[in-house]
Amino acid sequence: MLALTGERTIPGLDIENYWFRRHQVVYRRLAPLCAGREVLEAGCGEGYGADLIAGVARRVVAVDYDEAAVAHVRGRYPRVEVMQANLARLPLPDASLDVVVNFQVIEHLWDQGQFVAECARVLRPSGLLMMSTPNRITFSPGRDTPVNPFHTRELNAAELTELLVTGGFAEPSISGLFHGPRLREMDARHGGSIIDAQIARAMAADPGAPWPPRLAADVAAVTTDDFELVEAGDGRDIDDSLDLVAIAVRP
């Protein structure tokens, strides 16, 4: 198993389960768009998402900057072709792919515009770039710089749209990820936010101490069905979402 860094999401850990499911739900909802296609996951991390996509895609290539992550994916997920590289210089030919997946990665990159341009370069005409990222408005409220030290620049919906259009894509469809009813009940049980309750444990004087039993049980019980992915204009304010999900088409 890869080392727990506090940022890279790892499956199979109860204390990571909320974040794992929050990321996994986007893979599950969008994987059908990869069916029968050649797909790149740019920034694959632990590799569980690339492997999920490999269940429906014709081919999955995964790229990550971290050598340990690449070695882990190569050993654990044999149906994924994985390579180590900088995402600002993708080691793939022009117009060689149908889909690029980039989930919970763009906020880590220093040159986001260069990366998006690279995605446009490696995609065939009418290819898809599917991206998710924390919504800056709710993730780092009231700030222009990220709270999370692993992030370089976070985006709101308008900024994400501008980034993709400037990088050579048609205006994307934007959706927002929200807590569903069961997670809203958990929020109420934990002082208004199960997220803040988890962060408080991580920042405690003794972060290795046992979690409160109710919090531990709730976090371990979260499933992908506890999240709602809502398209902009479907009755929810996209600015209130937890994460933004964009699907953009290369002209």
Side-chain angles (χ1 to χ4, degrees), residues 25-235:
V25 63
V26 180
Y27 286 100
R28 287 192 168 177
R29 301 286 176 86
L30 299 189
L33 296 175
C34 300
R37 296 183 171 188
E38 292 187 271
V39 180
L40 166 68
E41 179 165 26
C44 63
E46 195 274 343
Y48 67 87
D51 186 64
L52 186 155
I53 292 168
V56 298
R58 182 165 72 251
R59 176 192 180 208
V60 176
V61 179
V63 174
D64 203 276
Y65 188 73
D66 184 73
E67 291 184 4
V70 169
H72 174 85
V73 174
R74 186 172 289 127
R76 183 166 184 174
Y77 301 113
R79 57 187 181 175
V80 175
E81 302 172 36
V82 63
M83 60 187 78
Q84 192 273 335
N86 189 324
L87 298 190
R89 294 286 185 273
L90 294 172
L92 294 156
D94 295 358
S96 58
L97 299 161
D98 302 306
V99 181
V100 176
V101 171
N102 180 246
F103 293 159
Q104 304 296 320
V105 173
I106 190 72
E107 65 276 6
H108 297 268
L109 303 183
W110 288 103
D111 195 339
Q112 296 176 343
Q114 170 64 23
F115 167 67
V116 172
E118 277 289 277
C119 292
R121 179 185 67 79
V122 302
L123 281 168
R124 298 176 178 122
S126 300
L128 299 180
L129 172 57
M130 304 196 297
M131 184 178 290
S132 73
T133 189
N135 177 12
R136 176 174 62 80
I137 294 172
T138 57
F139 204 80
S140 297
R143 294 174 57 101
D144 293 326
T145 56
V147 171
N148 188 320
F150 292 95
H151 294 178
T152 60
R153 179 195 176 208
E154 295 168 358
L155 303 159
N156 63 26
E159 292 162 344
L160 178 57
T161 298
E162 180 182 10
L163 176 69
L164 295 172
V165 171
T166 301
F169 288 85
E171 185 158 339
S173 65
I174 302 286
S175 299
L177 192 72
F178 295 85
H179 281 178
R182 205 165 72 102
L183 268 168
R184 292 197 295 269
E185 291 174 2
M186 293 182 188
D187 283 332
R189 279 200 294 273
H190 299 287
S193 172
I194 193 171
I195 299 170
D196 290 347
Q198 293 175 82
I199 293 172
R201 289 305 309 156
M203 301 298 291
D206 183 7
W211 285 29
R214 179 73 268 184
L215 177 62
D218 279 349
V219 168
V222 174
T223 73
T224 56
D225 290 337
D226 293 321
F227 295 91
E228 297 176 346
L229 189 60
V230 181
E231 290 187 20
D234 278 4

